[in-house]
Amino acid sequence: MANVCKNCETVFEGKFCNNCGQKHYSEHDKNFGHIVEEALHFVTHLEGTLPRTVKTILLKPGKLSQDYCFGIRKKYYKPISFFLLLVVLYLLFPIFTGLNQPLAAYNGMPVVGPTFQSQIEAKMSLLHLSFEDFSMEFHHKSEKLSKIFLFLLIPLTALPLKLLFFRSKRPLFDHFIMATELCSFILLVLFLLLPIVILPAIRLINVNRIQDDFLLPVAAILIFTFSFIAIKRFYDQKWYWILPKAILLTGSVAVLSQFVYKPLLFEITMLFL
């Protein structure tokens, strides 16, 4: 039986329009039972793809990107959607504030710290606020802006990947997906799973001290290990070519997040105050 798509007005047969893909809805689709069916389908689909995506990233670094760029996509949560989900979870449960620092942390940043301190003092004088009051204003504004700025982590990671593997002749899309997987790993492990593991220590010791003394070296080791395994699988090169590139990639992520992401977030936040 021929149907007319209500979305694009294409005549088609079957359940789905062969032009735009919209489903042909019948009276059955307006029943309350259909709403329950769609809800159950969403939950079961989510339960299948989400754990598989997490498991693949943790146990087989690089395979998600390898499969996704090859065209195997249905069994995984979409990389960008997965990263967005992690961003939301991180912002809801920000135990570690490494990606959204309090104002005081900017004063102590290497190289740019004195410049930031001068800007803070000038802004405090202009607004006639104490450091404590200004810190609260800064935190509220920075917290909102960081939701958008977290997506800068992906292109900032894709750029060194493109430069390190320019001879692979892969399209920018492939490097972008690999960067998304790496950034997802960083959020998932360093800012969601690791805080849960060391939660007893967090309750006993100052959080900032844990970040400085423990998280930074652990982060470097984990990012390097993940990067080495992931890019070796994804770009399919010998280990002795991958080793220096993994070191450079880890250093690039650290430098770009420290001297591009954080300063940019600081400057934009200051403009809105």
Side-chain angles (χ1 to χ4, degrees):
M1 179 180 177
N3 301 306
V4 179
C5 179
K6 294 183 178 179
N7 184 55
C8 65
E9 298 184 348
T10 299
V11 178
F12 67 97
E13 293 184 1
K15 293 183 178 181
F16 297 92
C17 174
N18 54 14
N19 182 49
C20 69
Q22 177 167 289
K23 182 182 178 182
H24 172 67
Y25 288 94
S26 63
E27 289 301 317
H28 168 73
D29 297 310
K30 296 181 181 180
N31 295 335
F32 179 76
H34 179 68
I35 298 177
V36 177
E37 289 177 10
E38 289 195 333
L40 290 174
H41 173 75
F42 174 78
V43 171
T44 54
H45 179 71
L46 184 66
E47 288 181 349
T49 58
L50 187 58
R52 185 182 296 113
T53 301
V54 173
K55 182 179 178 180
T56 302
I57 290 177
L58 294 179
L59 302 182
K60 297 180 179 179
K63 182 170 175 55
L64 172 64
S65 298
Q66 184 184 51
D67 286 350
Y68 197 83
C69 292
F70 184 69
I72 304 173
R73 302 182 177 185
K74 192 171 181 63
K75 66 179 183 178
Y76 297 114
Y77 210 75
K78 293 180 180 179
I80 295 296
S81 299
F82 182 68
F83 180 77
L84 177 61
L85 176 63
L86 294 177
V87 168
V88 172
L89 290 175
Y90 168 67
L91 293 173
L92 289 175
F93 308 103
I95 299 177
F96 286 157
T97 58
L99 299 177
N100 184 26
Q101 297 183 131
L103 183 63
Y106 286 98
N107 289 334
M109 286 182 63
V111 182
V112 293
T115 302
F116 288 164
Q117 186 173 2
S118 299
Q119 290 181 255
I120 292 170
E121 292 173 353
K123 201 75 171 183
M124 286 168 50
S125 177
L126 179 65
L127 299 176
H128 304 289
L129 293 174
S130 66
F131 184 79
E132 289 75 16
D133 292 335
F134 185 68
S135 295
M136 292 180 62
E137 293 290 332
F138 181 90
H139 174 73
H140 292 320
K141 186 64 67 175
S142 176
E143 189 176 39
K144 295 177 182 178
L145 290 172
S146 66
K147 296 177 182 180
I148 301 173
F149 272 71
L150 279 173
F151 286 95
L152 280 178
L153 293 174
I154 297 176
L156 288 177
T157 306
L159 177 61
L161 280 172
K162 178 67 174 177
L163 295 174
L164 289 170
F165 295 96
F166 69 95
R167 290 186 178 180
S168 67
K169 297 183 179 179
R170 282 180 173 268
L172 182 59
F173 174 86
D174 289 10
H175 302 296
F176 191 85
I177 294 300
M178 183 67 254
T180 304
E181 182 178 348
L182 175 56
C183 292
S184 296
F185 171 82
I186 292 172
L187 279 179
L188 176 63
V189 174
L190 298 180
F191 294 96
L192 292 173
L193 297 181
L194 186 60
I196 295 175
V197 174
I198 63 173
L199 190 59
I202 292 175
R203 292 178 175 177
L204 296 175
I205 307 175
N206 182 271
V207 174
N208 291 327
R209 180 181 171 186
I210 290 179
Q211 293 187 108
D212 294 337
D213 299 342
F214 175 75
L215 184 60
L216 292 180
V218 169
I221 293 171
L222 290 175
I223 293 174
F224 166 75
T225 303
F226 180 89
S227 298
F228 178 80
I229 299 172
I231 62 179
K232 185 179 184 302
R233 172 178 279 121
F234 186 68
Y235 294 101
D236 193 24
Q237 295 183 0
K238 300 293 185 182
W239 71 267
Y240 46 79
W241 290 114
I242 292 297
L243 182 60
K245 292 179 180 180
I247 295 173
L248 288 172
L249 178 60
T250 303
S252 298
V253 171
V255 170
L256 289 171
S257 63
Q258 187 75 9
F259 296 104
V260 177
Y261 170 82
K262 290 180 181 179
L264 190 58
L265 177 59
F266 173 83
E267 295 294 351
I268 298 298
T269 302
M270 293 290 284
L271 284 176
F272 280 91
L273 288 174

